[in-house]
Amino acid sequence: MFQSIERVPGDAILGLIQQFKDDPNPNKVDLGVGVYRDEHGNTPILRAVKQAEKQLIDTEQTKAYIGSHGDPQYGDYILKTVFGADHKVLAADRASATQSPGGTGALRLAADFIASQLPGHSIWLSDPTWPNHLGVFGAAGLDIQRYPYVDAHNQLDFDGMLAALKKIPEGDVVLLHACCHNPTGFDLNHDQWQQVLAVVQERGLLPLVDFAYQGFGDGLDEDAYGVRLLADNLDEMLVTQSCSKNFGLYRERIGCFIAVAADTEQKDNVRSQLAITARENYSNPPAHGSAIVSTIMSSAELTALWHQELDEMRNRINGLRRKFVDGLKPHGLDQQFAYVAEQRGMFSYTGLTKAQVEKLREDYSIYMVASGRANVAGLNDDNIDYVCKAIADVVG
Ligand code: LMR
């Protein structure tokens, strides 16, 4: 029966991990998959996480199932982190949190929820977007449409985006990146978020906000501006959240799917559907990640340490953005790449072509995604001049 099964290429981003490992060049540089790296190229376990894990070894009482919505304490902490502790949707009990296996698991819950409960509605994704958005929403059988996000000069195309949003049919779902847009690094400013809100209201759209990088752009609260603005003004919205990046819990698979409804009863109806969706997908989410996050957030001391470590990661990335542009000065390319310093989060859409990305890999063992997306966190003092020189070479 399996003779007719075709081999398909693996995921392009995850494939880079192996390619990089296999490369014997001692000067190789990994600017591929979106994991944070420190000055030595490592992805360390946060000190707050280590301390929480030590506590858990002694205090954890059971490994029994935690239920389809996961740990309620974790859900409460995430709602407060996303919306702010005093937000009106929390006071009115209008928001439901379902713990998920990573941000991707939250996206799949969103996809299945839209497919089963909002049939006939398309989902609109920025062009470009994280490639796996296409995979996850496609696998759930949703009709996928695109709105422009970047122009021919590799700048944010806000006018194009807004014009496209104005034509989306009523009730369709529009996916917005809360901050640290993946893959481009171009974020909306406050005024632009307000314009998006106006169109969402005018057209009666349902926003699904992908919030995978809270704290990696400008700060935990600053990065939540768009999400909170929408929640201030809309009856209904969806949010997918992840602790992969801001807690460095990539392999623990810990995220959250949030649904905001007009009132508590509707929220509870939606919530009942999500319990079924989770049950049919994976039954119960894994518990270790939520136990770590809850342990950190229930301790003032560990929360302060986590905030400090998150600040360190963010400041390092933003510092690297400036160093990168400075490093291109001797090659006369600092003006051309000036926007890299303004982008936010781990990623930069460099504007390099597929052929230039290939040349970087073949001639210099510098790895980035074929779209020209670079993970800025992969730069450090030892490799930044090498990378700048190599880019100058491939740009010609
Ligand atoms: C990325 O975009 O590199 C990360 O979100 C990791 C992934 O799963 O693709």
Side-chain angles (χ1 to χ4, degrees):
M1 283 169 74
F2 294 166
Q3 305 91 311
S4 58
I5 294 177
E6 286 175 26
R7 186 176 305 193
V8 292
D11 179 87
I13 295 179
L14 298 182
L16 286 174
I17 299 175
Q18 195 57 42
Q19 281 184 43
F20 180 79
K21 263 190 197 153
D22 294 344
D23 188 332
N25 185 345
N27 296 322
K28 63 186 177 180
V29 180
D30 187 357
L31 308 179
V33 69
V35 295
Y36 176 78
R37 297 190 193 285
D38 67 12
E39 180 57 29
H40 309 290
N42 299 322
T43 305
I45 301 173
L46 297 191
R47 298 190 295 282
V49 167
K50 272 278 184 209
Q51 290 188 30
E53 284 186 310
K54 277 189 193 139
Q55 283 184 28
L56 282 169
I57 293 216
D58 293 332
T59 57
E60 203 173 35
Q61 300 290 333
T62 180
K63 296 285 186 190
Y65 298 122
I66 53 172
S68 292
H69 288 294
D71 170 11
Q73 193 189 21
Y74 166 79
D76 283 351
Y77 284 133
I78 295 304
L79 288 176
K80 286 181 184 149
T81 308
V82 166
F83 295 111
D86 301 324
H87 199 278
K88 68 176 185 183
V89 301
L90 305 187
D93 191 19
R94 289 173 43 215
S96 160
T98 301
Q99 182 179 327
S100 59
T104 308
L107 286 163
R108 183 61 197 238
L109 286 176
D112 286 346
F113 173 74
I114 295 162
S116 67
Q117 302 307 311
L118 310 170
H121 289 292
S122 303
I123 183 151
W124 294 74
L125 308 177
S126 63
D127 187 8
T129 195
W130 182 49
N132 204 30
H133 280 149
L134 298 163
V136 171
F137 294 116
L142 291 180
D143 177 58
I144 297 174
Q145 301 287 337
R146 312 299 297 268
Y147 61 85
Y149 198 73
V150 167
D151 67 18
H153 308 288
N154 197 34
Q155 297 295 320
L156 173 68
D157 181 11
F158 184 68
D159 291 345
M161 171 185 180
L162 209 64
L165 296 189
K166 283 181 182 163
K167 293 193 192 127
I168 297 181
E170 188 180 337
D172 274 9
V173 183
V174 57
L175 187 138
L176 302 162
H177 298 229
C179 66
C180 309
H181 184 274
N182 182 3
T184 68
F186 290 122
D187 284 349
L188 303 184
N189 62 31
H190 290 190
D191 178 56
Q192 289 165 334
W193 271 112
Q194 281 163 19
Q195 294 184 58
V196 168
L197 167 69
V199 176
V200 164
Q201 285 177 310
E202 194 180 291
R203 303 291 308 165
L205 308 179
L206 177 65
L208 163 54
V209 187
D210 190 344
F211 206 1
Y213 294 89
Q214 186 174 7
F216 263 58
D218 292 306
L220 282 169
D221 289 324
E222 292 83 347
D223 292 348
Y225 177 82
V227 179
R228 294 178 187 175
L229 179 75
L230 296 176
D232 286 345
N233 291 283
L234 300 174
D235 282 347
E236 296 173 350
M237 66 184 288
L238 307 174
V239 182
T240 53
Q241 178 274 352
S242 171
C243 297
S244 296
K245 279 78 183 186
N246 55 14
F247 282 88
L249 290 171
Y250 304 88
R251 62 171 65 167
E252 301 302 347
R253 310 313 297 142
I254 176 64
C256 193
F257 176 58
I258 297 169
V260 176
D263 57 36
T264 306
E265 191 183 340
Q266 287 182 35
K267 182 266 292 177
D268 286 338
N269 294 345
V270 169
R271 190 170 171 78
S272 69
Q273 294 289 345
L274 289 166
I276 304 292
T277 308
R279 174 71 169 150
E280 289 171 354
N281 269 299
Y282 49 78
S283 186
N284 284 239
H288 190 58
S290 62
I292 293 168
V293 172
S294 292
T295 304
I296 292 173
M297 289 195 161
S298 56
S299 150
E301 196 189 319
L302 289 183
T303 299
L305 179 57
W306 170 54
H307 286 172
Q308 184 196 321
E309 294 182 279
L310 183 57
D311 290 351
E312 281 166 18
M313 291 193 282
R314 181 181 60 252
N315 292 337
R316 183 178 128 70
I317 293 169
N318 288 338
L320 284 167
R321 290 184 172 282
R322 287 186 291 274
K323 278 189 188 170
F324 175 70
V325 176
D326 286 348
L328 287 167
K329 237 182 225 164
H331 307 286
L333 290 173
D334 51 317
Q335 293 303 320
Q336 187 178 331
F337 286 89
Y339 52 78
V340 174
E342 305 306 320
Q343 293 165 328
R344 280 293 171 270
M346 263 193 290
F347 304 121
S348 175
Y349 219 42
T350 57
L352 296 174
T353 64
K354 200 171 169 211
Q356 289 167 336
V357 170
E358 264 166 32
K359 193 166 160 55
L360 281 175
R361 191 175 63 242
E362 279 160 18
D363 295 358
Y364 294 95
S365 297
I366 296 172
Y367 288 76
M368 60 175 78
V369 181
S371 62
R373 186 195 85 171
N375 175 8
V376 179
L379 297 170
N380 56 45
D381 285 342
D382 289 339
N383 67 25
I384 201 159
D385 289 339
Y386 175 72
V387 171
C388 289
K389 197 165 165 296
I391 287 179
D393 177 35
V394 301
V395 167

